[in-house]
Amino acid sequence: MSDNDPQQLGSAADVRARIDTSKPHSARFWNYFVGGKDNYEKDRELGDHIKEIFPGLVDVARTSRLFLGRAVRHLAAEQGVRQFLDIGTGLPTADNTHEVAQRAAPDSRIVYVDNDPLVLAHARALLTSTREGETAYIDADLYDPEAILREAAKTLDLSRPVALIILNTLGHVADHRQARDLVARLMAGLASGSYLVISDSTATSEGMIAASNEYNKSGAIPYYVRDVEEIGAFFDGLELLEPGVEQVTRWRAETEEATPVDAYGAVARKP
């Protein structure tokens, strides 16, 4: 069960009143790409436009979700991790972090973090748990790591290892040095033996760069694609798990053929 009081999250009507449907939003745009229904006309219009420019972004959205599942499953089943802090949760779909983790280890505890009104409206769908574990939701901002850690500590034991997950979110931080600082401050508050899981779209093809430029013209919060080396820099000082920083489709791929995509990720351990 969760400690979150549904009343504190606000009624669905109150939360939806805060949603701006006049321009696209990254969570809804991504939801459209993975086949979800929690999106609006502006999100779909942008999605269709981007698909004309670079249909490969649909593969990035789909395979990034699969990467999340493999990473969480590996950490829970093979590394013994029982605590997960998922920042930039996005909209619920199939195989959310708590579902994958608790399937492998029912006593897992998961804290989700986001500050988007539509995600908040769906928070109750995420606030489910096995009887042995716990799931909670924090309405907080990536730009305030200390507040995130403070609230997460109400559900997680930060003196024990935690897997910090930040997927397809750091691209919203324009300055790479600031993005690295945010990650470092979050990891500094976690115990030795904790893990960092990151993936983001990358500037590894002309199509992806063009798609990013068009997205950033749409009025949505901009998303900046980075070089692979910049993705790798988020893991400085940590011990990378094999195969290191790799295309999300090739990170511990479960099939021999992995579709190339413009998205890289990795999992690393804090010494």
Side-chain angles (χ1 to χ4, degrees):
M1 299 295 291
S2 166
D3 288 337
N4 287 59
D5 181 352
Q7 296 301 321
Q8 294 178 353
L9 297 178
S11 70
D14 290 340
V15 173
R16 287 183 182 278
R18 295 165 46 197
I19 299 170
D20 182 358
T21 62
S22 67
K23 56 188 178 183
H25 188 279
S26 59
R28 305 190 310 247
F29 170 81
W30 213 243
N31 177 264
Y32 177 57
F33 267 16
V34 298
K37 298 179 180 179
D38 297 308
N39 47 73
Y40 295 93
E41 182 178 357
K42 291 295 184 182
D43 308 303
R44 296 187 288 272
E45 287 178 356
L46 178 60
D48 291 340
H49 177 56
I50 295 295
K51 282 192 282 188
E52 291 178 359
I53 297 171
F54 183 56
L57 192 56
V58 177
D59 292 328
V60 169
R62 180 180 56 82
T63 58
S64 294
R65 194 73 186 179
L66 295 174
F67 165 77
L68 169 66
R70 294 197 304 277
V72 171
R73 188 162 53 249
H74 175 74
L75 291 175
E78 304 296 330
Q79 302 298 331
V81 177
R82 295 295 181 267
Q83 302 189 111
F84 297 82
L85 178 58
D86 187 338
I87 299 178
T89 302
L91 291 160
T93 57
D95 283 343
N96 299 293
T97 297
H98 73 286
E99 293 170 326
V100 176
Q102 292 182 342
R103 194 177 301 138
D107 58 336
S108 295
R109 290 173 168 251
I110 298 87
V111 172
Y112 290 107
V113 182
D114 211 302
N115 68 341
D116 175 69
L118 187 60
V119 176
L120 180 59
H122 287 270
R124 293 170 183 80
L126 291 171
L127 296 179
T128 60
S129 177
T130 57
R131 186 180 300 275
E132 303 93 329
E134 186 169 354
T135 305
Y137 178 91
I138 299 173
D139 182 9
D141 196 310
L142 172 64
Y143 291 94
D144 194 350
E146 289 73 27
I148 290 174
L149 292 168
R150 188 166 56 249
E151 290 300 311
K154 297 177 181 179
T155 301
L156 308 177
D157 179 357
L158 301 189
S159 70
R160 300 179 61 82
V162 174
L164 172 63
I165 301 170
I166 315 176
L167 264 59
N168 305 107
T169 299
L170 290 166
H172 289 301
V173 183
D175 185 87
H176 184 240
R177 289 173 299 179
Q178 182 181 21
R180 289 183 62 186
D181 177 66
L182 293 171
V183 172
R185 286 159 63 189
L186 286 163
M187 289 302 297
L190 302 181
S192 175
S194 291
Y195 289 84
L196 175 63
V197 183
I198 287 175
S199 75
D200 262 306
S201 300
T202 48
T204 41
S205 76
E206 292 183 1
M208 175 57 87
I209 294 171
S212 176
N213 290 337
E214 285 298 304
Y215 179 85
N216 291 346
K217 295 176 184 176
S218 71
I221 298 172
Y223 185 98
Y224 303 93
V225 291
R226 295 193 161 95
D227 295 335
V228 177
E229 292 75 15
E230 291 178 306
I231 301 298
F234 289 125
F235 299 94
D236 286 352
L238 305 178
E239 301 168 349
L240 283 166
L241 273 61
E242 291 293 336
V245 180
E246 183 57 273
Q247 289 184 25
V248 294
T249 50
R250 295 175 176 170
W251 193 90
R252 297 182 179 264
E254 295 171 348
T255 61
E256 291 185 3
E257 295 186 11
T259 304
V261 293
D262 294 296
Y264 277 69
V267 180
R269 183 181 180 276
K270 180 177 179 177

